Amino acid sequence: QVQLVESGGGLVQPGGSLRLSCAASGSSFSIISMGWYRQAPGKQRELVAEITSGGNTNYAASVKGRFTISRDQNTVDLQMNTLKPEDTAVYYCNAAVWEKRGISWTRADQWGQGTQVTVSS
């Protein structure tokens, strides 16, 4: 089993910054990739940024140049700069992992419970 514990989020003015953090823990697992998704009211959940175990990153076009994702062991951070009202959403941490079951490994996606980010003046 893998548990994702999120921190950060909150209310910030346009142009401001926030840092989200997510820590993955468990008895036996290996990280494939970690990332952040977001879901605004009336919209589908979308990928914001992800980082692979090799350090490769992907960003949504809407956040590229403003957000930076980084990973330290089993913790992933999302530094969000120059925030816009359009960034307002519930942000979810995601981890694609290999989980050990006996002598076998199974790929699984784990999700955090979400944290609200509100950008408003």
Side-chain angles (χ1 to χ4, degrees), residues 54-73:
N56 295 320
T57 59
N58 291 316
Y59 295 93
S62 59
V63 308
K64 190 172 297 184
R66 299 187 297 119
F67 292 9
T68 303
I69 190 169
S70 60
R71 179 188 165 195
D72 181 12
Q73 296 300 108

Side-chain angles (χ1 to χ4, degrees), residues 13-29:
Q13 294 183 344
S17 299
L18 284 174
R19 179 183 288 270
L20 306 181
S21 295
C22 176
S25 62
S27 59
S28 183
F29 71 97

Side-chain angles (χ1 to χ4, degrees), residues 12-20 38 48 59 62-69 78-85 87 91 117 119:
V12 66
Q13 294 183 344
S17 299
L18 284 174
R19 179 183 288 270
L20 306 181
R38 68 186 181 188
V48 178
Y59 295 93
S62 59
V63 308
K64 190 172 297 184
R66 299 187 297 119
F67 292 9
T68 303
I69 190 169
L78 184 68
Q79 178 65 45
M80 304 184 294
N81 297 327
T82 320
L83 283 161
K84 305 175 180 179
D87 296 317
Y91 284 69
V117 171
V119 184

